[in-house]
Amino acid sequence: MVSYKRLSPEEVHFSGAPLLEPPPDDSGNSAVRAEDPELPLLARRPQCSSTTALLTLGGLILVVLAIWLLGTVLWLRSPPSSEVHKPLTPVGPSSQTRGQGGGTQQPEACSLIAEAWRFDCYPERGVVVTEEMCHARNCCFVHDSKARPPGQNGVPYCFYPPDFPSYELVAINDVEMGYTGKLIRTQKTYYPKDIETLQFDVLYESNNRLRMKITDPANERYEVPIDVPVVKTRAPNPMYTVEFIKKPFGLIVKRKQNGAVLLNTTVAPLFYADQFLQMSTSLPSTFVYGLGEHRSNLLHDVQWNTLTMWARDAAPVELTNLYGAHPFSLLMESDGLAHGLFLLNSNAMDVVLQPAPALTWRTVGGILDLYVFLGPDPASVIGEYLEVIGKPAMPVYWALGYHLCRWGYDSSNKTWEVVKEMRNYGIPQDVQWNDIDYMDNALDFTYNPVNFSTLPNLVNDLHINNQHYVMILDPGISSTQPAGSYWPFDEGIRKDIFINNSSGDLLIGKVWPGLTAFPDFSNPDTHEWWYQNLQKFHSKVPFDGLWIDMNEPSNFFDGSVNGCPENELETPPYTPGVLGGTLRAKTVCASAQHKTTSHYNVHSLYGLMEAKASASALKRILGKRPFVISRSTFPSQGLYSGHWLGDNRSRWKDLYMSIPGMLTFNLLGIPLVGADICGFSDNSTEELCVRWTQLGTFYPLSRNHNTKESQAQDPTMFSPAARAAMKEALLLRYSLFPFLYTLFHHAHLNGHTVARPLFFEFPLDNKTYSIDKQFLWGKSLLVTPVLEPGVDYVVGYLPKGVWYDFYTGESLVSKGEEVKLHAPLDKIILHLREGTITPTQRPNTTLWVSSGQPLHLITCLSEEGLAEGDLFWDDRDSLDTYETGHYAYITFKLRKVLTVEDLGLNLGQNFTIRWM
């Protein structure tokens, strides 16, 4: 048992709202410090006479009024505080009182809650909330012009009063890994099936990682089946302190270094019903990142911004749930420190940001399994996050070359012609892809015997020229072929590896081949079936990698050909703000059955499970590092695949939006990411495609791809001047391959980002916090692309220090300022940071040839005359070269003389040094 320390008004106050805090009494909130010695859970109530009670009551009222007046004055004059945020203290036992005629009277405390701190009591979309509806939920109602219109985000009309019923912490015990407690709810909420008794576990997993789990001790609930660390030893010297609030229950996590409050769940009531779980926290700042997949700026807007997570086949637009679900957020604090929050939950979810600032997780199933990462810098936060979900795989070398694809080649010969044209012009290309037009009637594991009859020959030619081939696969398997004629379906039926409906019968949807069944990748037998299909096809067409698309999974029906049943999984009490309004919109029924659970629980895991099956199959078939690119993603995806940003458009805005998308996925542990260069749909102009190719040169995954309705846009299709500019950009990428390859090694080994925001390297410069039109490769190469039409300049921000022009070596000393830079159409602006050494090589048209060329070192001296860098090198495609010791790792340090230290195998390379 542990003691309970009561928080005084001076220690805890509600930032951004008037203070209404009566003196402590025995029924008030009590903070539990995990470090205090043991004391009884409930304080002993002192005896008193009636006279003493009256005098005490009068004194208390005077104190309350005095504190309220003082708090109001201080709040009006002071900025938001970074101290503990606490909800207003209950004003009495009843928040809503009945008036004559059955009406309700609003408690006075409701009007004292500042707009920024109103937590939505009626979050349902598309509902016009009336006062009567709100009061039926025992909540406050304030209707004004600034509140949100129906169905939109904004200040809520209906919000929780200070005394809204929540859970109470009735027992807590010190255990080996931290603390375990018991939570009790005595009053039901307005959502059905409240779980009245909960188990609460706080695990001190490492000095900079805390885990909190809230579960149902009586019934097993769904938990996400990804491998996370199982820690057996309590952290010896945590960077955090933990406090528990007894009634209503809450948790407060502070940073030891400065007392900053990183998590405070007391700001709103905790919900834990069977299909509605909700927890809120204050935030120490408004600088919030991550929370994918959405089309947005890198820095999220906290002005009543709801981010919905439920994998969906939808062209990227703002305020829409897209292909993947990643409930991880990175937060920069006001002093340059950083921390992260990760809710390990795969059910449909809303994450709500509001200007208090505060964050609310609202999900429809599973458990509340929350990690807090202490950093203290943003790069450390990402590394700690990836310690939990898994660090990304080391990519095969040719994954970092230039990729070409098009839906609409329509034949293998036309595809081959494009490859030959690229060779004729000497334009680098490592990988050729085909979209579904290579298939026979859109059937997986087939190729068109007429239009793509020469596909095996094309692939063999690519291999002869040190190039590689990637094909698309969709998960939907045709169910309408004659019996015995289509082995993937026949064998799938025999092995019972498809998703069933709620009645146990085969669920039939519709995708490109027509009526289809969907493999259940939660079933290990499905992985073996997938491998067998790939192996059979590889014997005909020796492909090198897989592009797995439509794996949300996408369905042209809502649910199935027969619709979906009406049950609590299809129509839960609360539906997050998913596109289409229902969980079955353009996917399979939420009540569909997998081997392990319902689709309701694993929908957003589907792409991850397919990627895992695909990567495993490719390892078995090729015996080399697998190359898989997936549209749908979930935490830990980087272990198995990369990602492209979906069906963008050939527009300047999409060019710009690709940068925050790329950077966000680097934060999410999927560094092998990029957008379709020049845009997937619409027609690209020549200027746009040149600028996009220049930017795409610095995507970790660099692929040009578009649809059959648009004009061809590979580099050979444009004027000689445009073609030359694209060629120069791609040769530049190939020259930087040793540097890029080394960055991926650090991502694989240490959980680093490859493309990273500027604030990662300059966390004390808050001007960098919102920059998402520039980015860095590693810590040293600053990329400043042109993102607007008709200009030959770009304005970029150079953080404080010395920066070197990549092309000329000219130095620029910046105080931390914006600079206007000349950027003609044939140039992308690049700068190298002082004190760095960057390995490069003489480029060629494939990375296989380039990697045998001489290596060069670009040395950028600091003002003190110092510089350092490194290089990772191996055979570039074998499995686990680092883990088995088959690699070279070389460090370069310049301290008046250059020191080269080989920490692995003998590289056998000569270096040419370029000084700046």
Side-chain angles (χ1 to χ4, degrees), residues 654-838:
D654 291 65
L655 171 67
Y656 155 56
M657 294 304 296
S658 70
I659 300 176
M662 170 188 65
L663 294 178
T664 294
F665 270 92
N666 270 264
L667 307 188
L668 299 176
I670 309 175
L672 187 61
V673 61
D676 284 343
I677 294 173
C678 302
F680 173 73
S681 62
D682 297 342
N683 292 318
S684 179
T685 65
E686 182 169 281
E687 180 190 13
L688 174 59
C689 202
V690 169
R691 293 300 193 191
W692 210 323
T693 302
Q694 291 168 344
L695 172 58
T697 288
F698 294 94
Y699 293 158
L701 173 67
S702 183
R703 181 186 75 157
N704 179 318
H705 173 54
N706 73 333
T707 181
K708 59 185 178 180
E709 282 83 17
S710 302
Q711 298 172 0
Q713 61 186 29
D714 64 82
T716 68
M717 299 303 297
F718 295 98
S719 70
R723 191 166 59 238
M726 295 181 192
K727 177 179 176 179
E728 282 302 308
L730 295 172
L731 287 171
L732 175 60
R733 178 186 180 88
Y734 277 50
S735 74
L736 289 166
F737 171 70
F739 177 49
L740 180 60
Y741 194 68
T742 301
L743 293 178
F744 269 97
H745 165 69
H746 289 304
H748 170 62
L749 183 63
N750 303 308
H752 291 178
T753 52
V754 173
R756 68 188 58 159
L758 273 66
F759 71 81
F760 266 55
E761 295 298 321
F762 303 93
L764 295 177
D765 183 354
N766 59 18
K767 294 178 183 177
T768 64
Y769 289 8
S770 62
I771 292 177
D772 58 9
K773 295 185 177 181
Q774 298 170 269
F775 59 95
L776 291 157
W777 264 15
K779 66 179 182 180
S780 59
L781 181 61
L782 177 61
V783 182
T784 307
V786 173
L787 303 173
E788 299 175 4
V791 298
D792 61 358
Y793 68 90
V794 61
V795 176
Y797 182 76
L798 296 183
K800 184 178 180 180
V802 181
W803 295 89
Y804 293 89
D805 185 294
F806 181 87
Y807 305 99
T808 68
E810 180 181 354
S811 65
L812 191 156
V813 180
S814 174
K815 298 178 181 179
E817 56 198 299
E818 289 189 338
V819 180
K820 185 176 181 179
L821 303 161
H822 182 55
L825 187 58
D826 61 352
K827 181 181 180 182
I828 183 170
I829 301 300
L830 302 174
H831 288 90
L832 286 168
R833 187 179 177 185
E834 64 171 317
T836 61
I837 298 176
T838 304

Side-chain angles (χ1 to χ4, degrees), residues 14 71 109 117 151 236 379 445 590 699 754 780 852 886:
F14 187 61
W117 287 97
F445 310 111
Y699 293 158
V754 173
S780 59
H886 293 86

Side-chain angles (χ1 to χ4, degrees), residues 135-169:
H135 286 171
R137 293 188 170 187
N138 290 320
C139 287
C140 301
F141 186 85
V142 176
H143 186 186
D144 57 51
S145 59
K146 293 189 230 179
R148 69 176 182 203
Q152 298 183 25
N153 294 332
V155 182
Y157 298 165
C158 184
F159 52 96
Y160 299 113
D163 60 347
F164 191 91
S166 187
Y167 286 87
E168 178 181 356
L169 177 62

Side-chain angles (χ1 to χ4, degrees), residues 377-392:
D377 58 87
S380 297
V381 172
I382 301 306
E384 292 155 15
Y385 173 52
L386 298 188
E387 286 284 348
V388 170
I389 66 167
K391 300 183 183 75

